[in-house]
Amino acid sequence: MGGGEQHEERSTVVRLGRRAWALLGIVGVLVIAWLVVSQLAVVVVPVLLALFVAAALAPLVNLLGRLHVPRPLAALIAVVLGLAVIAAAVWLVVPAFVAQLPQLSSALGQATEQLDRVLSRTPFFGPGVNVRAIVGSLTTQFFGGGSIPAALGTVATVLSSVVLLLVVVLFYLAEGRWLAAALVGWLPAARQDEVWRVLARLWQVVGRYFRALLVVALFDAVFIGAGLALLGVPLALPLAVLVYLGAFLPYLGAVLSGMLAVLVAAAERGLLTAVLVLVVVLVVQQIEGNVIQPVVMGKIVRVPAFVVLVAIAIGSALLGVLGAFLAVPVAACVEHIMRHLSGRTAEN
């Protein structure tokens, strides 16, 4: 009896040791990836972002392939269609958004002044509080201080990065399987099938996450923007655009864009309208979180909110806005890898 218990304890220790080594290995890979991205941001950033775009367009390419369209041509058609959708959205939204930016800036300035007066009466903040300065400092810390925003600061660099991104997207879609096979081919033959299955799963995670993000962002922007318009809040279009962009940063982006809408409503239409805008934002967010996200993401991308917030904090600390954007899919991929390793360890 004692020998069996000792054997069981040793097996438990061995399993824990394997999981610990697996976790350390993943952390080591992430640290190396961070160092590479920091030093080669101009090249690595488009390559990473192209992975999301390619994963989102992959179903269309696969559909065209089933219709006997050659894969390189299918990849080109998918990219052209994607660019056409982006161009149509820019043509419809951007001119009106830019035209209303000065008015939006003025409204936010009035709102922050009112918020300063309210917060100055509270014991927590006291007199002299300056919300605009606090937000400016946080924005500078979030977008600045890293090599990535600085590296993409010039127009020439941005244009070259966009061109590189499009080329890499085409390569991923047309020859991605060849690239994956070449990388997996370096592994021991006994592990290649297992790695293939894991890579296929991770590819599904990335693709479904990015496609779902586009749908969720559009849902939030359309319905919150419609609510603002129905309530007579000015600047509904630029606020809806900010809501759309904020949705790409889970939880935090929705909170910040919703706060901006409430502040503008308070400054332009008074407290009652601001409360109604807050209700609209909360209702839309609840529908999005409890109905839309489970439908479009499914169970393949299911990371707890606490893990998401921690991952975003770590990603933004390491890589700024890019790290915050990549935090959730990276966390989802790590979760799938850990689950796979845990299942394999249990089988052994």
Side-chain angles (χ1 to χ4, degrees):
M1 189 70 166
E5 292 178 354
Q6 291 178 358
H7 177 72
E8 184 178 351
E9 290 177 358
R10 284 197 297 269
S11 299
T12 302
V13 172
V14 170
R15 286 197 299 270
L16 292 175
R18 289 177 177 176
R19 294 179 183 179
W21 278 112
L23 180 60
L24 288 175
I26 293 173
V27 172
V29 170
L30 293 177
V31 170
I32 294 173
W34 168 61
L35 293 174
V36 171
V37 171
S38 299
Q39 297 300 318
L40 301 174
V42 177
V43 176
V44 175
V45 170
V47 171
L48 284 176
L49 295 180
L51 185 65
F52 290 86
V53 178
L57 294 176
L60 177 58
V61 176
N62 294 334
L63 175 62
L64 293 174
R66 288 193 291 270
L67 297 176
H68 306 291
V69 178
R71 194 164 185 87
L73 179 59
L76 180 61
I77 292 173
V79 171
V80 170
L81 288 177
L83 290 175
V85 171
I86 294 174
V90 169
W91 179 71
L92 290 172
V93 175
V94 170
F97 176 78
V98 172
Q100 296 185 40
L101 273 181
Q103 187 180 353
L104 177 62
S105 177
S106 175
L108 289 176
Q110 296 177 18
T112 54
E113 290 177 1
Q114 294 178 5
L115 189 58
D116 288 342
R117 289 194 293 269
V118 172
L119 294 178
S120 63
R121 301 189 186 100
T122 63
F124 182 77
F125 288 96
V129 63
N130 191 329
V131 174
R132 180 179 293 186
I134 295 173
V135 173
S137 176
L138 293 176
T139 303
T140 302
Q141 183 177 359
F142 185 69
F143 287 95
S147 60
I148 294 173
L152 300 179
T154 63
V155 175
T157 304
V158 171
L159 292 177
S160 63
S161 298
V162 170
V163 172
L164 177 60
L165 184 145
L166 293 176
V167 172
V168 175
V169 168
L170 284 171
F171 177 79
Y172 282 159
L173 293 173
E175 303 292 343
R177 189 172 181 83
W178 171 85
L179 176 62
L183 295 176
V184 174
W186 288 92
L187 299 174
R191 294 296 184 188
Q192 290 184 9
D193 289 340
E194 179 185 10
V195 173
W196 264 116
R197 291 195 300 271
V198 173
L199 288 178
R201 188 71 171 174
L202 297 182
W203 182 252
Q204 292 177 7
V205 170
V206 173
R208 183 170 292 184
Y209 172 77
F210 192 67
R211 290 191 297 272
L213 201 59
L214 294 174
V215 174
V216 167
L218 185 61
F219 175 86
D220 288 349
V222 169
F223 284 94
I224 292 179
L228 294 173
L230 290 175
L231 291 173
V233 178
L235 308 170
L237 177 62
L239 288 173
V241 172
L242 293 179
V243 168
Y244 181 84
L245 297 176
F248 285 84
L249 191 62
Y251 298 109
L252 295 179
V255 171
L256 294 176
S257 58
M259 287 177 57
L260 288 178
V262 172
L263 288 174
V264 171
E268 297 290 331
R269 288 292 183 267
L271 182 59
L272 177 59
T273 303
V275 172
L276 294 176
V277 169
L278 178 60
V279 171
V280 170
V281 171
L282 292 177
V283 170
V284 172
Q285 291 296 328
Q286 287 298 311
I287 297 174
E288 174 246 297
N290 295 299
V291 178
I292 304 301
Q293 280 197 23
V295 170
V296 296
M297 284 191 179
K299 295 181 180 180
I300 196 170
V301 184
R302 191 65 61 86
V303 182
F306 174 76
V307 176
V308 170
L309 294 176
V310 172
I312 290 176
I314 295 174
S316 61
L318 295 177
L319 297 174
V321 64
L322 177 66
F325 172 74
L326 296 177
V328 179
V330 168
C333 290
V334 170
E335 188 269 340
H336 277 277
I337 293 173
M338 293 298 295
R339 188 192 307 169
H340 174 80
L341 293 176
S342 177
R344 192 180 70 184
T345 302
E347 292 176 358
N348 295 335

